[in-house]
Amino acid sequence: MIDAVIARGDGSNDVLEQEVMVLFTAAPAHYVTPNFYTETKPSTRKTVPTWNYAAAQVYGKAKIDFDFKSDETSDFLERQITDLAHHAKTSIMGYTGDNGWPRQWGVTDAPERYVDSLKNIIGTEIEITKLEGKFKMSQEMSKGDRDGVVEGFASLGTDVGRTVSTIVQERSEMREAAKR
């Protein structure tokens, strides 16, 4: 929860007065069962489950665009919707505009009712002041336990399991190389 006050009337309206942090997590994240700890669990039984993840923390000042009567807000939201549609078509769907595909859709192609509905969107811009990344992929465990985690995830037979297994293996190799 953000406990903030929005300033108004001084030309810098819609800006939160405090720093915000937004957390982005990568798709290959997974619960780690203590059963994967092939070194610690058999010897001490003092293990607990955990969660493996990769994340980025973005810090900055947030600007909230919610004044739908403002041209600045309308322009910002239209640009965001246009950029999002373009990204989905090109990066996700592989749209190139070639081979008889119709021209790309634009916000101005939408019915007026849709364009008017943009005023219901609250836009957020963050002026980034600090960016941090974190991997928690069992690299803090002993070599034997890391090997068990790699094998455990690989044995799941799922795409996510294989991906996490690969990342844990890579992070383990990095840790071992740093020791040398």
Side-chain angles (χ1 to χ4, degrees):
M1 182 171 106
I2 298 173
D3 186 18
V5 177
I6 297 177
R8 293 192 166 266
D10 62 358
S12 64
N13 64 335
D14 308 341
V15 177
L16 296 175
E17 294 178 353
Q18 292 131 327
E19 183 178 64
V20 297
M21 187 274 290
V22 180
L23 178 67
F24 296 93
T25 56
H30 211 288
Y31 168 85
V32 182
T33 175
N35 292 335
F36 288 173
Y37 303 143
T38 56
E39 184 176 307
T40 305
K41 187 171 186 239
S43 65
T44 70
R45 301 207 44 84
K46 295 184 188 252
T47 59
V48 296
T50 190
W51 192 263
N52 277 355
Y53 63 91
Q57 294 173 308
V58 178
Y59 298 85
K61 294 287 185 179
K63 179 180 179 194
I64 309 300
D65 291 297
F66 63 90
D67 182 4
F68 66 88
K69 294 178 183 172
S70 158
D71 288 340
E72 181 183 353
T73 296
S74 295
D75 292 346
F76 170 75
L77 293 174
E78 183 174 330
R79 187 175 66 251
Q80 297 309 304
I81 297 296
T82 299
D83 289 351
L84 179 61
H86 177 76
H87 170 73
K89 285 186 177 187
T90 59
S91 298
I92 297 170
M93 298 174 64
Y95 175 83
T96 61
D98 298 331
N99 300 325
W101 284 64
R103 72 174 181 79
Q104 289 198 32
W105 176 87
V107 174
T108 56
D109 297 330
E112 189 173 326
R113 211 178 58 210
Y114 174 84
V115 176
D116 286 344
S117 73
L118 293 178
K119 66 184 175 188
N120 296 318
I121 297 173
I122 297 175
T124 304
E125 297 177 78
I126 298 176
E127 180 184 327
I128 298 172
T129 58
K130 182 169 63 170
L131 182 63
E132 295 178 347
K134 177 170 178 131
F135 274 96
K136 189 199 164 291
M137 289 286 179
S138 299
Q139 71 268 14
E140 75 284 358
M141 306 301 292
S142 68
K143 173 82 168 95
D145 283 342
R146 289 193 313 264
D147 291 345
V149 171
V150 168
E151 291 173 26
F153 277 114
S155 72
L156 295 178
T158 64
D159 288 342
V160 173
R162 283 186 289 277
T163 301
V164 173
S165 176
T166 299
I167 294 170
V168 172
Q169 180 66 46
E170 290 169 353
R171 302 303 290 185
S172 180
E173 290 168 4
M174 289 170 66
R175 180 171 180 185
E176 293 304 309
K179 288 182 181 180
R180 295 182 206 138

